[in-house]
Amino acid sequence: MTLAITHRRIISRGDLPGSSGGIYNPGAVLSGSTIQLLCRREIDYRFTPLVFPESLVLDADTLQLTGRRTLKKVG
C-alpha cells in the first residue's frame, strides 16, 4: 500500500498586502463549503508591535482565497 501525500502552501509571505514579515500561527475551521483561517500578519522583520490579525476565507474544494479582512485589535 502506498500513500500519496500532497503538500500545498495555502498562503505565503507577500501574498497579502503588508505581509513582507510573514504570515504566522494559522488556525482553521471548516464551515460548510469554506475554510475560515485566522492568522497573524507581520509587515516586516523588525519585531515591532505592528502585527495584524487576519481573517481569511478559502474555498474548501480548491483552497483558493475568496475573501479576507483585517480584524480590529482590542486591548
Side-chain angles (χ1 to χ4, degrees):
M1 181 172 148
T2 303
L3 284 176
I5 298 173
T6 302
H7 178 148
R8 178 174 168 200
R9 186 178 303 266
I10 295 173
I11 193 135
S12 309
R13 174 175 54 93
D15 287 349
L16 300 177
S19 66
S20 295
I23 299 171
Y24 300 97
N25 304 328
V29 174
L30 179 62
S31 177
S33 62
T34 63
I35 297 172
Q36 302 288 325
L37 185 71
L38 181 64
C39 59
R40 185 179 87 236
R41 172 176 58 90
E42 296 199 10
I43 62 166
D44 56 31
Y45 289 114
R46 292 182 294 170
F47 302 103
T48 67
L50 293 175
V51 298
F52 301 93
E54 290 289 327
S55 173
L56 308 175
V57 180
L58 308 170
D59 180 277
D61 295 325
T62 64
L63 299 180
Q64 295 298 310
L65 183 65
T66 60
R68 66 172 277 272
R69 69 184 181 121
T70 302
L71 303 175
K72 184 177 179 180
K73 294 190 290 185
V74 178

